[in-house]
Amino acid sequence: MFDGMQRRVVSLWFPRLASDRVLRRRLVNGPFVLTLKQQNANRIYCLNAQAAEQGLHQGMSYADARAFCPALQSCTADPQADMRFLHILRRWATRYCPWVGMEGEDGLVLDVTGSAHLFGGEEAMLADMRGRFARAGLWVQIGLGDTRGAAWALARYNEGVAASGNMLTALKSLPVAALRLDEKTSVALQRMGLRKIGTLAAAPRAPLTRRFGPGLLLRLDQALGAQPEAITPLSDPPHYAVRMTLPDPIGLLSDVMAGTERLLAQLCAKLKAQEMGARKLCMTLRRVDQDCQQVELRLARPLRDPQRILSLFERGLGEIDAGFGIDQMRLEATGVEALPVQQISHVSDHSKSRLDDLITRLGTRVGLENIQRFLPADSHIPERSFIIAAAAYSNPSSGWSILNPRPLYLFPPEPIAATGPHPPARFRWRRMSLTTGHATGPERIAPEWWHQDESWRSGLRDYWRVETTQGRRLWLFYTPQNPGWFVQGEFA
């Protein structure tokens, strides 16, 4: 990439990344730690400089830390938020060079070959980094060398800059752990008397390979530059947006639809390459007077079929005001979901696709959240045997298993005047006098003791299906523990 130019690598290590992230938003004076439950104990996950000065360290039990430092302040750690913050720093670091990669959970690595002169040289560039991190409230240690391994070692064991050309001179006094070795290998080398990188480099290679395998010497050669080691930058997430600038303004719906069709073809090609589907689309139309109008389309299912999406866009695009004309169109998928490639079959059923398109069309008028469906729930309690979910964000279920018929209409229990454990021969309900013609039951249902439900405080219920001579088919229940009769539903 840079012919005839010596490679230079910067390693950024944030030993207190987690605590620095929290303290950027929280004013704390004194020792502060982040705790995380590890090995059935609440332990220190990260700590600030004041806590380290009190003798606290990472992995220490929080109870012991409070005994050493009664004024200790703490907060629960969030490793996922720390990783998101590190990704933000990685993207910010591309201001120094385009080749930025991750270095574990608390570091970054930058290939600054050919870019240091843009900041006035290596020393000026490193000074700029330190100043910006200090103003941001982040403690960082920086190492610069010809190799990734050398930069890593300097950042963590002897912060500084290694002169170009001879990494052994800069690393020979550092412990062997600076070669990114596991703890077991590092301890074994120290027991053999090989405590420094310089001593290890001068030792015979064949016995080391036989005892530790090729990994040890590979790490040594990578640090000294005898073996290459690539830096893999993280790619930015795909951006699902396409734009078209028109040579002449348009205003007819047919022209707008034709432009939309071309944009959809490009956008769906991007989605297909990533095996994604659009759930929310936004079309931005810029008029010649620089005013913009937007048409949003929310889909009931992830799609990447241009023709199906185009027909769903027609209603929204027909309501726009083109003014003196539209000279730019921009289509963006603001919401996407995974849509893996599926096997095509000649017996595929298109009824589900038509239902999804219908839900989308209705959703543009009343909102997708207002189109709902019933789904089965694992409960024998009538009120809890189903849930209501938005049809656009759920799949239909065929898991309805009903041993006994259930009424079509279910409502809160309504008391009626009756006594005894058997259905009354005559009773009044909703100002109607009804006569029992046929009764089927009882079906005993016990309350779920793990749920606190006021309507089930009366205890057991004995349900009956009652057919009246007036034509009403009701669902009645009797509570033997607290005698009383109620009507809760009506069959069709």
Side-chain angles (χ1 to χ4, degrees), residues 4 6 25 50 62 170 273 299 415 465:
Q6 180 61 49
R25 298 183 178 181
Q50 291 88 336
Y62 180 64
L299 302 172
R465 301 193 304 275

Side-chain angles (χ1 to χ4, degrees), residues 177-458:
L179 293 175
R180 296 172 291 173
L181 304 177
D182 59 85
E183 184 178 1
K184 182 180 178 181
T185 302
S186 179
V187 172
L189 288 172
Q190 294 179 40
R191 289 175 177 173
M192 295 173 59
L194 302 176
R195 295 181 174 83
K196 303 295 182 181
I197 294 179
T199 307
L200 178 64
R205 299 174 68 93
L208 293 174
T209 303
R210 284 195 298 268
R211 177 163 183 175
F212 298 100
L216 171 62
L217 296 181
L218 175 63
R219 284 301 192 190
L220 177 63
D221 291 340
Q222 287 176 341
L224 300 181
Q227 289 287 343
E229 184 177 8
I231 297 175
T232 305
L234 296 181
S235 59
D236 292 329
H239 184 57
Y240 302 108
V242 290
R243 183 178 61 182
M244 179 170 58
T245 301
L246 305 170
D248 296 314
I250 61 174
L252 298 177
L253 177 60
S254 58
D255 295 336
V256 175
M257 291 294 292
T260 303
E261 184 177 10
R262 293 181 60 181
L263 292 177
L264 278 172
Q266 301 175 33
L267 179 62
C268 290
K270 287 186 176 182
L271 292 169
K272 185 177 181 180
Q274 300 291 332
E275 294 193 7
M276 303 294 289
R279 282 299 298 263
K280 186 186 295 184
L281 293 162
C282 181
M283 172 69 80
T284 304
L285 304 173
R286 190 187 70 182
R287 304 191 310 191
V288 294
D289 59 359
Q290 301 304 309
D291 185 27
C292 293
Q293 294 196 10
Q294 291 186 339
V295 178
E296 186 178 84
L297 178 64
R298 301 172 65 191
L299 302 172
R301 287 291 181 271
L303 285 180
R304 57 169 178 257
D305 186 346
Q307 295 304 319
R308 285 181 61 187
I309 300 176
L310 181 64
S311 61
L312 300 173
F313 249 126
E314 186 172 4
R315 179 177 179 272
L317 294 176
E319 296 178 354
I320 64 171
D321 180 13
F324 293 104
I326 297 169
D327 62 359
Q328 188 182 91
M329 303 174 64
R330 185 177 186 273
L331 180 62
E332 180 181 6
T334 56
V336 295
E337 290 183 8
L339 185 61
V341 177
Q342 298 179 351
Q343 179 67 39
I344 298 177
S345 173
H346 66 282
V347 296
S348 60
D349 184 13
H350 297 285
S351 59
K352 187 178 183 299
S353 300
R354 291 194 294 267
L355 177 60
D356 293 339
D357 292 349
L358 176 61
I359 294 175
T360 299
R361 293 180 187 277
L362 296 176
T364 58
R365 293 174 171 84
V366 301
L368 288 177
E369 294 80 4
N370 297 321
I371 304 174
Q372 301 172 333
R373 63 161 51 101
F374 290 94
L375 298 175
D378 187 15
S379 177
H380 59 272
I381 300 298
E383 302 92 322
R384 301 197 190 103
S385 61
F386 64 91
I387 58 175
I388 300 176
Y393 305 105
S394 61
N395 295 315
S397 176
S398 58
W400 296 94
S401 58
I402 301 176
L403 300 178
N404 297 295
R406 290 292 182 260
L408 181 61
Y409 303 102
L410 196 67
F411 40 79
E414 300 175 1
I416 59 174
T419 58
H422 297 284
R426 294 179 178 83
F427 59 94
R428 288 184 61 83
W429 174 65
R430 293 184 179 179
R431 299 183 181 180
M432 294 183 292
S433 296
L434 303 175
T435 302
T436 301
H438 179 72
T440 304
E443 177 191 353
R444 174 160 289 186
I445 298 179
E448 296 174 341
W449 55 266
W450 55 91
H451 288 299
Q452 296 294 331
D453 193 339
E454 293 292 333
S455 60
W456 280 82
R457 283 187 176 275
S458 56

Side-chain angles (χ1 to χ4, degrees), residues 116-152:
H117 71 280
L118 301 174
F119 301 88
E122 293 178 350
E123 293 294 338
M125 181 182 65
L126 298 184
D128 182 71
M129 290 181 180
R130 291 190 179 93
R132 291 180 182 274
F133 284 125
R135 290 192 294 271
L138 299 175
W139 183 33
V140 63
Q141 293 183 206
I142 305 177
L144 174 61
D146 292 349
T147 65
R148 181 175 182 175
W152 189 93

